[in-house]
Amino acid sequence: MSTNTATLPVGRYAYDQIDRTFLSQRVAQFREQVNRRIAGHLTEDEFKPLRLMNGLYLQLHAYMLRVAIPYGMLGADQMRALAHIARTYDRDYGHFTTRQNMQFNWIRLEDTPDILERLADVDMHAIQTSGNCIRNVTCDEFAGAAADELLDPRIHAEILRQWSTLHPEFAFLPRKFKIAISGSPQDRVAARFHDIGLVARPGPQGRPVFDVFVGGGLGRTPIIGVLLRDNLPEEDLVAYLEAIVRVYNAYGRRDNMYKARIKILVQALGVETFREKVDAEFALMNRADYRLEPDIVAGIRARFGIPALDAPADAADTLAAGRKADPAFDRWVRTNTHPHRHPGFTSVVISIKPDGGIPGDVTADQMDVIADLADGWSFGEIRVTHMQNVVLGHVRKDRLHELWRRLVAAGLGTPNIGLVGDIIACPGLDYCSLANARSIPIAQKLSARFASPELQERIGRLHINISGCINACGHHHAGHIGILGVDKRGEEFFQLTLGGSAGNDVAIGQIIGPALPEDETVDAIARLIDAYLVLRTEGEQFIDTYRRLGAASFKDAVYASA
C-alpha cells in the first residue's frame, strides 16, 4: 500500500488487499448461511445471531440492513454504491441514522449477499452494526476541517475501529457498546452520552492526550457520563479502553438486558470503585502489547488522503459579494456552513430535513447528486452527521454560490441547520418492532408547521428530538424539546421533555407533564414556542430562556386548550 496521501481517498482510511480479501471471504461465508436459511437447514433462532453479525435485522414489515459508515466518513464512490442498493434492492431510498450509519428498510433476505458484495466492492460492510459488541465509533462531522479543532479525531477513531472489530474477547458483551471521539473544545459528538466518550487535544511534546468519560447513555435510564481519567497519554489509549471494556465484560449484568449497559454498572459500583477496578486491570496488562507508538499512529494517518486546500486570495470577497446580492443564499450560508481551518474554505452542511420531509431519508437520485457534488466541490469526500445530515467538508468559498444553486435544484438546499426544522427522529412505529408510536408523522407535521425560513431564524437555535419508544434512538432526552412516543391502551401519546442538551452544556431533559394525544402534540409545541418568543430577552436562545425561567412558565402554554 502506498503512503502517498495524494493517491488516497480524501478523508477516509484506505483499505489494502488484506482488508478486501477479508470482506470477500466474509460475504461468501454469509451467502452460504443465507442459502442454508432459505433451504430450511437453519431455523430462524439459529440464523438470528449470524444475520445480526452482518447488520441484518428483522423489523415490522421486512428485513433492515444497517451499513457501517466508520466515523461517518464516505467517499463519492461509496455513496453511489449506496444509491445503487437503494434503487435496486430497496424502495429507492435509504435512511441516515444518529449513529452515522445508513439503514435500508425494505431488504429481501435472498438479496443480502449480493448487497454485501456490492458494498465490499467499495470497501464497505455491515459488520458490528448490530449485536452486543462495540459498534461504530462516531466522530465530529467537521473532523480535520473545523477551525476550532485541536486534534483530528479520525486517526484515533480508525485505531479504535481496528482494535474493536472482531475483538475475540468483546464479541458477546452484556449489551451493545458505543464510543464517540472529539478533537474540538466544542462537544459535537455527545461525548458524555456514550458508554465511552473521548475528548482529545495535544499534550506534552504535541502528542495527544485524552479525557475519558464513561457510563453515559440515553435509553430508559438516561445518565450523563463521568470523567474517569484525564490526560490519558496516546500510547495508553488502547490499553486503557481495553481495561474498561474488560471490567464491563466481567461485571456487567447479563440477567436483565435493561440493566446491562455500562452506565448501570458504573452507577451500581460507584465511580470510585469502578475506577479502581479499571486501574487494577490496567496495571495487570502487558502495556507493551498495546502501546501506541508514534510510528504506529503515523502509519494509520498515512492511509488517509489529504485534500489540497488551495483557494484564490479573493475567495472570501467573492462569497461576500454573492451573499450581498442574493438574500436566500445569504440565509443558507448563515445556517448551513461551518468555519473551516483554511480561510478560503468552508464546510457545508446539507440538510436531509426538507420541509415536511422525513428526517434522515434520502433518495437514490439525491445520493447520486451528493456524490457528484462531493466530486465537484469537496475532493470526493462526504461526512454523515449524528444529526442525520450530510457534510461536504472542504468547499471553496468562491464556489459556494454555485454549489448552493445545485443543492436547491435537487431539493437539498433547506436552510435549517440547528433550527426548529432540523429535527432528529428515529424511524418509530412505521418500521421498528420496538417502537410504541410513530415518530415520523410528528416530525413531518412540525417541519411543515415551521417551514418558513424567516420564522425559523426568528425562533433561533432550537433542537427538537423525537423517539418512538423509551429506547431513545431519536435522543429525545438530549433535545431542547424532547418528544417521546408512548402507548396508552393502544393509542399513541407523546410525552414532552424540556431542557436537554448533548453539547458542552450537557443536560437531560425534564418531563413537563402528562403525555399528549397525537393530534394535540404539534399544536402544544407551537404554543410552547410562541410562549418562548414572548418570554425571551433580546438575543436569548430557547435553552437559555428555559433555564432562566424553568418549566412552569411553559407548562401553561403546553396544556392550554387549543
Side-chain angles (χ1 to χ4, degrees):
M1 170 58 65
S2 169
T3 56
N4 179 3
T5 55
T7 65
L8 301 176
V10 167
R12 73 179 203 264
Y13 180 81
Y15 277 20
D16 62 14
Q17 195 52 48
I18 294 174
D19 300 312
R20 293 178 180 127
T21 298
F22 168 77
L23 287 189
S24 177
Q25 291 173 341
R26 180 77 178 224
V27 172
Q29 184 184 59
F30 189 58
R31 187 182 295 280
E32 175 63 19
Q33 292 163 355
V34 169
N35 289 339
R36 289 165 64 199
R37 172 67 186 123
I38 292 172
H41 300 151
L42 291 175
T43 67
E44 173 55 26
D45 285 345
E46 291 168 332
F47 181 61
K48 182 178 178 179
L50 302 175
R51 63 172 167 79
L52 288 178
M53 288 179 188
N54 290 278
L56 189 63
Y57 288 75
L58 184 55
Q59 295 285 51
L60 278 178
H61 310 294
Y63 285 98
M64 179 271 282
L65 181 68
R66 181 177 296 147
V67 178
I69 303 178
Y71 31 94
M73 300 299 300
L74 270 176
D77 58 329
Q78 294 174 323
M79 183 67 97
R80 290 192 183 94
L82 295 175
H84 169 78
I85 292 167
R87 192 174 285 122
T88 307
Y89 301 105
D90 203 288
R91 295 185 177 181
D92 217 29
Y93 68 94
H95 176 78
F96 289 121
T97 77
T98 54
R99 294 294 303 163
Q100 297 180 304
N101 290 321
M102 171 164 273
Q103 293 181 177
F104 293 106
N105 287 309
W106 299 97
I107 296 298
R108 299 192 314 161
L109 175 60
E110 52 266 44
D111 290 333
T112 52
D114 290 341
I115 295 172
L116 293 177
E117 189 169 277
R118 181 69 184 91
L119 290 171
D121 288 343
V122 290
D123 301 340
M124 298 184 77
H125 58 78
I127 298 167
Q128 287 193 198
T129 59
S130 60
N132 294 334
C133 55
I134 298 175
R135 302 287 188 88
N136 186 32
V137 177
T138 52
C139 186
D140 182 0
E141 61 262 31
F142 302 116
D148 65 353
E149 184 172 273
L150 302 175
L151 191 146
D152 185 349
R154 291 172 299 179
I155 313 306
H156 297 89
E158 172 61 27
I159 289 170
L160 295 179
R161 184 190 73 84
Q162 294 189 20
W163 159 70
S164 62
T165 300
L166 302 181
H167 192 307
E169 193 172 333
F170 303 142
F172 296 99
L173 293 168
R175 282 284 280 139
K176 58 188 173 182
F177 199 91
K178 300 175 180 177
I179 300 173
I181 180 169
S182 169
S184 163
Q186 297 301 315
D187 184 353
R188 289 188 284 264
V189 301
R192 293 159 186 82
F193 280 136
H194 279 76
D195 297 302
I196 293 178
L198 299 170
V199 179
R201 62 180 178 279
Q205 288 81 51
R207 288 204 68 186
V209 295
F210 301 84
D211 289 343
V212 182
F213 296 88
V214 69
L218 298 171
R220 65 184 59 228
T221 310
I223 294 174
I224 296 172
V226 296
L227 182 64
L228 193 68
R229 170 78 187 265
D230 61 2
N231 294 309
L232 177 70
E234 179 184 53
E235 65 179 19
D236 287 333
L237 176 66
V238 173
Y240 193 72
L241 262 58
E242 176 136 339
I244 293 173
V245 185
R246 283 186 183 183
V247 170
Y248 169 55
N249 204 20
Y251 293 93
R253 289 182 61 172
R254 296 175 188 271
D255 61 322
N256 182 340
M257 67 176 293
Y258 303 117
K259 306 274 186 192
R261 299 294 293 269
I262 193 174
K263 61 187 177 184
I264 303 298
L265 177 64
V266 173
Q267 294 296 311
L269 293 177
V271 64
E272 291 305 324
T273 301
F274 184 83
R275 182 182 290 117
E276 289 171 6
K277 291 186 179 298
V278 171
D279 289 346
E281 188 68 36
F282 187 57
L284 288 173
M285 296 171 67
N286 182 355
R287 302 241 284 279
D289 290 345
Y290 297 87
R291 185 170 294 132
L292 275 182
E293 300 289 0
D295 63 323
I296 295 175
V297 179
I300 299 293
R301 181 178 289 108
R303 289 177 55 174
F304 280 81
I306 299 173
L309 300 177
D310 184 18
D314 63 351
D317 295 336
T318 302
L319 171 59
R323 295 181 66 173
K324 187 175 181 179
D326 189 335
F329 172 60
D330 182 54
R331 174 180 293 111
W332 177 82
V333 173
R334 282 198 303 273
T335 57
N336 289 47
T337 62
H338 193 272
H340 196 282
R341 60 186 168 85
H342 189 292
F345 284 77
T346 192
S347 294
V348 168
V349 186
I350 301 173
S351 174
I352 311 296
K353 320 278 181 67
D355 301 335
I358 299 173
D361 273 13
V362 56
T363 68
D365 287 347
Q366 288 175 325
M367 290 186 226
D368 281 337
V369 168
I370 291 171
D372 291 345
L373 297 179
D375 275 338
W377 272 263
S378 192
F379 306 93
E381 180 206 85
I382 301 161
R383 297 124 182 273
V384 181
T385 85
H386 80 281
M387 303 283 288
Q388 300 176 291
N389 292 307
V390 167
V391 168
L392 300 182
H394 318 282
V395 179
R396 257 175 46 185
K397 288 181 175 176
D398 58 314
R399 301 190 64 210
L400 202 55
H401 192 261
E402 185 184 358
L403 172 64
W404 171 71
R405 287 193 285 107
R406 294 281 295 269
L407 288 169
V408 170
L412 293 166
T414 310
N416 63 1
I417 299 303
L419 305 179
V420 66
D422 188 12
I423 298 167
I424 290 179
C426 72
L429 196 54
D430 284 293
Y431 299 100
C432 181
S433 57
L434 301 176
N436 294 318
R438 293 169 298 161
S439 311
I440 291 172
I442 294 291
Q444 290 179 292
K445 290 174 185 174
L446 281 170
S447 173
R449 182 72 163 259
F450 294 99
S452 163
E454 293 81 7
L455 176 59
Q456 291 202 46
E457 276 210 290
R458 186 160 68 86
I459 293 170
R461 184 175 176 80
L462 176 55
H463 294 160
I464 297 181
N465 297 4
I466 308 174
S467 298
C469 77
I470 197 64
N471 292 301
C473 292
H475 299 180
H476 65 278
H477 298 296
H480 296 166
I481 299 175
I483 305 173
L484 169 64
V486 295
D487 177 273
K488 286 191 174 184
R489 296 179 294 279
E491 293 188 30
E492 297 176 41
F493 277 65
F494 292 88
Q495 192 174 67
L496 304 188
T497 59
L498 297 181
S501 174
N504 288 13
D505 59 343
V506 61
I508 296 169
Q510 301 300 306
I511 297 172
I512 191 172
L516 298 159
E518 190 271 347
D519 60 0
E520 295 180 17
T521 300
V522 172
D523 285 342
I525 292 171
R527 293 194 299 272
L528 188 158
I529 293 173
D530 285 343
Y532 150 68
L533 293 174
V534 171
L535 294 168
R536 70 178 177 183
T537 60
E538 185 175 353
E540 195 173 46
Q541 302 294 324
F542 175 85
I543 188 67
D544 300 317
T545 304
Y546 169 78
R547 287 172 177 170
R548 177 170 59 83
L549 297 175
S553 298
F554 298 98
K555 194 168 182 176
D556 289 346
V558 169
Y559 295 103
S561 298

